[in-house]
Amino acid sequence: MRNIIALLLVSLIVFSCSSEKKMGNMVVTGQIKGLKKGTLYLQKMIDTTIVSVDSIQLLGDDKFSLTDDVDSPVMYYLTFDGNTEPKKLMFFGEKGTVTINDKVEEFGFKPTVTGSKNQEVMDKFNEVDNQFKMKRLDFIAKDLEARAKKDSVLADSLAKEYKKLVRRRFLFTTNFAISNKDSEAAAYIALTELFDANIYLLDTINNSLTDKVKGSDYGKRLNKFVTEIKEAEAKKTE
């Protein structure tokens, strides 16, 4: 009987150890105020698919801790289900502890993220880029009004001013990326915000990146993207 009890205890210990969640080199912790029920997922893009790498069920407690192994700093997503509509919070993940605090009502709009140097770069970029986005919306509203009034002169003038705004945004984004050439966020910004810009701007950023960033996931993607564009343009001139 004693042998049976001892065997059961050993089995329970082994099961307990094997059931423990494996800790990655990145821990994402924090609080989503108001999220009392549901499952919070930590996700990232693998190839072209967003996959869940960890999750936690929240029942009466809005604090959480999630983890993953980070080979290279990349963009992650926090999403949740339950009794609320699907929402998404984006942040730059990297090795170490990343702390995220937010509110369920404004989930993903104004989160406080600390512990990620790349996210700090993204926050600085978004602070200025949001001003460009507001001006763009203003141009769209004025253009719709001009077209409704059939004011072709004003519409043409707005179109010219809008092109100048786009050029200023491209130049700002390029200069910002170059100024942060030691950050993986610089390569990410080039890929997501300048994909339709002049190849000269993309190539300038690509050449300015440090070796560390060039060897990162987004650095490799940017170099591949630039190389493919240059090869396609070279074929057109043949």
Side-chain angles (χ1 to χ4, degrees), residues 31-35 80 87 89 101-111:
Q31 181 180 23
I32 309 298
K33 289 184 178 180
L35 182 59
F80 60 81
K87 296 183 180 181
L89 184 156
N101 291 305
D102 204 356
K103 298 178 181 178
V104 68
E105 299 88 358
E106 304 171 351
F107 190 74
F109 286 100
K110 293 181 180 180

PDB file of all heavy atoms in Angstrom, residues 31-35 80 87 89 101-111:
ATOM      1  N   GLN A  31      -1.735  44.767 -16.954  1.00  0.00           N
ATOM      2  CA  GLN A  31      -3.123  44.809 -16.500  1.00  0.00           C
ATOM      3  C   GLN A  31      -4.000  45.461 -17.561  1.00  0.00           C
ATOM      4  O   GLN A  31      -3.655  46.502 -18.117  1.00  0.00           O
ATOM      5  CB  GLN A  31      -3.222  45.605 -15.198  1.00  0.00           C
ATOM      6  CG  GLN A  31      -4.623  45.696 -14.610  1.00  0.00           C
ATOM      7  CD  GLN A  31      -4.648  46.500 -13.320  1.00  0.00           C
ATOM      8  OE1 GLN A  31      -3.762  47.314 -13.076  1.00  0.00           O
ATOM      9  NE2 GLN A  31      -5.657  46.269 -12.484  1.00  0.00           N
ATOM     10  N   ILE A  32      -5.120  44.807 -17.851  1.00  0.00           N
ATOM     11  CA  ILE A  32      -6.133  45.384 -18.739  1.00  0.00           C
ATOM     12  C   ILE A  32      -7.344  45.692 -17.870  1.00  0.00           C
ATOM     13  O   ILE A  32      -8.172  44.816 -17.595  1.00  0.00           O
ATOM     14  CB  ILE A  32      -6.525  44.414 -19.877  1.00  0.00           C
ATOM     15  CG1 ILE A  32      -5.288  43.876 -20.602  1.00  0.00           C
ATOM     16  CG2 ILE A  32      -7.461  45.120 -20.866  1.00  0.00           C
ATOM     17  CD1 ILE A  32      -4.456  44.924 -21.278  1.00  0.00           C
ATOM     18  N   LYS A  33      -7.428  46.919 -17.408  1.00  0.00           N
ATOM     19  CA  LYS A  33      -8.490  47.288 -16.476  1.00  0.00           C
ATOM     20  C   LYS A  33      -9.873  47.075 -17.096  1.00  0.00           C
ATOM     21  O   LYS A  33     -10.150  47.525 -18.196  1.00  0.00           O
ATOM     22  CB  LYS A  33      -8.338  48.759 -16.064  1.00  0.00           C
ATOM     23  CG  LYS A  33      -7.145  49.008 -15.159  1.00  0.00           C
ATOM     24  CD  LYS A  33      -7.099  50.458 -14.706  1.00  0.00           C
ATOM     25  CE  LYS A  33      -5.924  50.689 -13.751  1.00  0.00           C
ATOM     26  NZ  LYS A  33      -5.856  52.100 -13.293  1.00  0.00           N
ATOM     27  N   GLY A  34     -10.699  46.370 -16.373  1.00  0.00           N
ATOM     28  CA  GLY A  34     -12.062  46.124 -16.843  1.00  0.00           C
ATOM     29  C   GLY A  34     -12.243  44.786 -17.528  1.00  0.00           C
ATOM     30  O   GLY A  34     -13.375  44.354 -17.752  1.00  0.00           O
ATOM     31  N   LEU A  35     -11.135  44.117 -17.870  1.00  0.00           N
ATOM     32  CA  LEU A  35     -11.241  42.810 -18.516  1.00  0.00           C
ATOM     33  C   LEU A  35     -11.307  41.735 -17.429  1.00  0.00           C
ATOM     34  O   LEU A  35     -10.298  41.225 -16.973  1.00  0.00           O
ATOM     35  CB  LEU A  35     -10.054  42.563 -19.448  1.00  0.00           C
ATOM     36  CG  LEU A  35     -10.060  41.237 -20.226  1.00  0.00           C
ATOM     37  CD1 LEU A  35     -11.305  41.136 -21.094  1.00  0.00           C
ATOM     38  CD2 LEU A  35      -8.811  41.109 -21.071  1.00  0.00           C
ATOM     39  N   PHE A  80      -8.193  39.421 -27.285  1.00  0.00           N
ATOM     40  CA  PHE A  80      -8.971  38.679 -26.306  1.00  0.00           C
ATOM     41  C   PHE A  80     -10.369  38.381 -26.829  1.00  0.00           C
ATOM     42  O   PHE A  80     -10.844  39.010 -27.776  1.00  0.00           O
ATOM     43  CB  PHE A  80      -9.052  39.411 -24.965  1.00  0.00           C
ATOM     44  CG  PHE A  80      -9.701  40.770 -25.042  1.00  0.00           C
ATOM     45  CD1 PHE A  80     -11.072  40.910 -25.056  1.00  0.00           C
ATOM     46  CD2 PHE A  80      -8.914  41.921 -25.098  1.00  0.00           C
ATOM     47  CE1 PHE A  80     -11.670  42.158 -25.121  1.00  0.00           C
ATOM     48  CE2 PHE A  80      -9.508  43.179 -25.160  1.00  0.00           C
ATOM     49  CZ  PHE A  80     -10.882  43.299 -25.173  1.00  0.00           C
ATOM     50  N   LYS A  87     -10.751  42.720 -30.116  1.00  0.00           N
ATOM     51  CA  LYS A  87      -9.921  43.914 -30.214  1.00  0.00           C
ATOM     52  C   LYS A  87      -8.465  43.487 -30.291  1.00  0.00           C
ATOM     53  O   LYS A  87      -8.125  42.356 -29.962  1.00  0.00           O
ATOM     54  CB  LYS A  87     -10.148  44.837 -29.013  1.00  0.00           C
ATOM     55  CG  LYS A  87     -11.555  45.406 -28.914  1.00  0.00           C
ATOM     56  CD  LYS A  87     -11.687  46.356 -27.746  1.00  0.00           C
ATOM     57  CE  LYS A  87     -13.089  46.929 -27.647  1.00  0.00           C
ATOM     58  NZ  LYS A  87     -13.229  47.885 -26.523  1.00  0.00           N
ATOM     59  N   LEU A  89      -4.226  44.807 -29.730  1.00  0.00           N
ATOM     60  CA  LEU A  89      -3.222  45.758 -29.255  1.00  0.00           C
ATOM     61  C   LEU A  89      -1.872  45.338 -29.833  1.00  0.00           C
ATOM     62  O   LEU A  89      -1.449  44.199 -29.660  1.00  0.00           O
ATOM     63  CB  LEU A  89      -3.180  45.759 -27.719  1.00  0.00           C
ATOM     64  CG  LEU A  89      -2.266  46.757 -27.002  1.00  0.00           C
ATOM     65  CD1 LEU A  89      -2.782  47.014 -25.591  1.00  0.00           C
ATOM     66  CD2 LEU A  89      -0.816  46.268 -26.928  1.00  0.00           C
ATOM     67  N   ASN A 101      -0.042  48.148 -19.845  1.00  0.00           N
ATOM     68  CA  ASN A 101      -1.225  48.539 -19.081  1.00  0.00           C
ATOM     69  C   ASN A 101      -2.202  49.256 -20.005  1.00  0.00           C
ATOM     70  O   ASN A 101      -1.806  50.134 -20.780  1.00  0.00           O
ATOM     71  CB  ASN A 101      -0.842  49.445 -17.907  1.00  0.00           C
ATOM     72  CG  ASN A 101      -0.054  48.689 -16.836  1.00  0.00           C
ATOM     73  OD1 ASN A 101      -0.507  47.673 -16.326  1.00  0.00           O
ATOM     74  ND2 ASN A 101       1.129  49.172 -16.522  1.00  0.00           N
ATOM     75  N   ASP A 102      -3.458  48.874 -19.919  1.00  0.00           N
ATOM     76  CA  ASP A 102      -4.467  49.451 -20.803  1.00  0.00           C
ATOM     77  C   ASP A 102      -5.836  49.321 -20.151  1.00  0.00           C
ATOM     78  O   ASP A 102      -5.983  48.731 -19.075  1.00  0.00           O
ATOM     79  CB  ASP A 102      -4.438  48.739 -22.155  1.00  0.00           C
ATOM     80  CG  ASP A 102      -4.996  49.599 -23.287  1.00  0.00           C
ATOM     81  OD1 ASP A 102      -5.476  50.719 -22.994  1.00  0.00           O
ATOM     82  OD2 ASP A 102      -4.955  49.166 -24.450  1.00  0.00           O
ATOM     83  N   LYS A 103      -6.851  49.863 -20.824  1.00  0.00           N
ATOM     84  CA  LYS A 103      -8.232  49.758 -20.359  1.00  0.00           C
ATOM     85  C   LYS A 103      -9.038  49.026 -21.420  1.00  0.00           C
ATOM     86  O   LYS A 103      -8.833  49.225 -22.613  1.00  0.00           O
ATOM     87  CB  LYS A 103      -8.835  51.151 -20.127  1.00  0.00           C
ATOM     88  CG  LYS A 103      -8.121  51.966 -19.060  1.00  0.00           C
ATOM     89  CD  LYS A 103      -8.746  53.348 -18.937  1.00  0.00           C
ATOM     90  CE  LYS A 103      -8.034  54.180 -17.886  1.00  0.00           C
ATOM     91  NZ  LYS A 103      -8.599  55.554 -17.795  1.00  0.00           N
ATOM     92  N   VAL A 104      -9.945  48.177 -20.982  1.00  0.00           N
ATOM     93  CA  VAL A 104     -10.705  47.373 -21.921  1.00  0.00           C
ATOM     94  C   VAL A 104     -11.551  48.232 -22.863  1.00  0.00           C
ATOM     95  O   VAL A 104     -11.741  47.890 -24.031  1.00  0.00           O
ATOM     96  CB  VAL A 104     -11.595  46.350 -21.170  1.00  0.00           C
ATOM     97  CG1 VAL A 104     -12.703  47.036 -20.395  1.00  0.00           C
ATOM     98  CG2 VAL A 104     -12.152  45.321 -22.128  1.00  0.00           C
ATOM     99  N   GLU A 105     -12.042  49.383 -22.373  1.00  0.00           N
ATOM    100  CA  GLU A 105     -12.884  50.244 -23.213  1.00  0.00           C
ATOM    101  C   GLU A 105     -12.074  50.885 -24.353  1.00  0.00           C
ATOM    102  O   GLU A 105     -12.615  51.150 -25.424  1.00  0.00           O
ATOM    103  CB  GLU A 105     -13.537  51.357 -22.382  1.00  0.00           C
ATOM    104  CG  GLU A 105     -14.450  50.863 -21.283  1.00  0.00           C
ATOM    105  CD  GLU A 105     -13.687  50.594 -19.992  1.00  0.00           C
ATOM    106  OE1 GLU A 105     -12.447  50.758 -19.976  1.00  0.00           O
ATOM    107  OE2 GLU A 105     -14.333  50.203 -18.998  1.00  0.00           O
ATOM    108  N   GLU A 106     -10.798  51.152 -24.109  1.00  0.00           N
ATOM    109  CA  GLU A 106      -9.951  51.818 -25.108  1.00  0.00           C
ATOM    110  C   GLU A 106      -8.828  50.885 -25.572  1.00  0.00           C
ATOM    111  O   GLU A 106      -7.763  51.336 -25.958  1.00  0.00           O
ATOM    112  CB  GLU A 106      -9.350  53.090 -24.512  1.00  0.00           C
ATOM    113  CG  GLU A 106     -10.384  54.055 -23.973  1.00  0.00           C
ATOM    114  CD  GLU A 106      -9.744  55.197 -23.194  1.00  0.00           C
ATOM    115  OE1 GLU A 106      -8.535  55.129 -22.944  1.00  0.00           O
ATOM    116  OE2 GLU A 106     -10.463  56.156 -22.860  1.00  0.00           O
ATOM    117  N   PHE A 107      -9.082  49.598 -25.528  1.00  0.00           N
ATOM    118  CA  PHE A 107      -8.050  48.602 -25.774  1.00  0.00           C
ATOM    119  C   PHE A 107      -7.344  48.830 -27.113  1.00  0.00           C
ATOM    120  O   PHE A 107      -7.951  48.853 -28.174  1.00  0.00           O
ATOM    121  CB  PHE A 107      -8.672  47.207 -25.757  1.00  0.00           C
ATOM    122  CG  PHE A 107      -7.645  46.093 -25.761  1.00  0.00           C
ATOM    123  CD1 PHE A 107      -6.923  45.801 -24.627  1.00  0.00           C
ATOM    124  CD2 PHE A 107      -7.427  45.348 -26.902  1.00  0.00           C
ATOM    125  CE1 PHE A 107      -5.993  44.769 -24.613  1.00  0.00           C
ATOM    126  CE2 PHE A 107      -6.499  44.314 -26.908  1.00  0.00           C
ATOM    127  CZ  PHE A 107      -5.776  44.031 -25.765  1.00  0.00           C
ATOM    128  N   GLY A 108      -6.026  49.004 -27.028  1.00  0.00           N
ATOM    129  CA  GLY A 108      -5.215  49.151 -28.233  1.00  0.00           C
ATOM    130  C   GLY A 108      -5.027  50.566 -28.719  1.00  0.00           C
ATOM    131  O   GLY A 108      -4.198  50.813 -29.611  1.00  0.00           O
ATOM    132  N   PHE A 109      -5.764  51.536 -28.172  1.00  0.00           N
ATOM    133  CA  PHE A 109      -5.668  52.912 -28.653  1.00  0.00           C
ATOM    134  C   PHE A 109      -4.554  53.694 -27.960  1.00  0.00           C
ATOM    135  O   PHE A 109      -3.755  54.359 -28.617  1.00  0.00           O
ATOM    136  CB  PHE A 109      -7.007  53.639 -28.482  1.00  0.00           C
ATOM    137  CG  PHE A 109      -8.053  53.206 -29.464  1.00  0.00           C
ATOM    138  CD1 PHE A 109      -9.042  52.308 -29.100  1.00  0.00           C
ATOM    139  CD2 PHE A 109      -8.038  53.685 -30.760  1.00  0.00           C
ATOM    140  CE1 PHE A 109      -9.998  51.885 -30.006  1.00  0.00           C
ATOM    141  CE2 PHE A 109      -8.985  53.282 -31.687  1.00  0.00           C
ATOM    142  CZ  PHE A 109      -9.968  52.371 -31.308  1.00  0.00           C
ATOM    143  N   LYS A 110      -4.516  53.620 -26.630  1.00  0.00           N
ATOM    144  CA  LYS A 110      -3.494  54.359 -25.897  1.00  0.00           C
ATOM    145  C   LYS A 110      -2.887  53.504 -24.783  1.00  0.00           C
ATOM    146  O   LYS A 110      -2.929  53.877 -23.613  1.00  0.00           O
ATOM    147  CB  LYS A 110      -4.087  55.645 -25.317  1.00  0.00           C
ATOM    148  CG  LYS A 110      -4.507  56.669 -26.349  1.00  0.00           C
ATOM    149  CD  LYS A 110      -5.055  57.920 -25.688  1.00  0.00           C
ATOM    150  CE  LYS A 110      -5.484  58.958 -26.714  1.00  0.00           C
ATOM    151  NZ  LYS A 110      -6.032  60.180 -26.066  1.00  0.00           N
ATOM    152  N   PRO A 111      -2.315  52.363 -25.124  1.00  0.00           N
ATOM    153  CA  PRO A 111      -1.719  51.514 -24.083  1.00  0.00           C
ATOM    154  C   PRO A 111      -0.409  52.104 -23.583  1.00  0.00           C
ATOM    155  O   PRO A 111       0.262  52.845 -24.303  1.00  0.00           O
ATOM    156  CB  PRO A 111      -1.479  50.195 -24.816  1.00  0.00           C
ATOM    157  CG  PRO A 111      -1.240  50.600 -26.233  1.00  0.00           C
ATOM    158  CD  PRO A 111      -2.161  51.763 -26.466  1.00  0.00           C
TER     159      PRO A 111
END
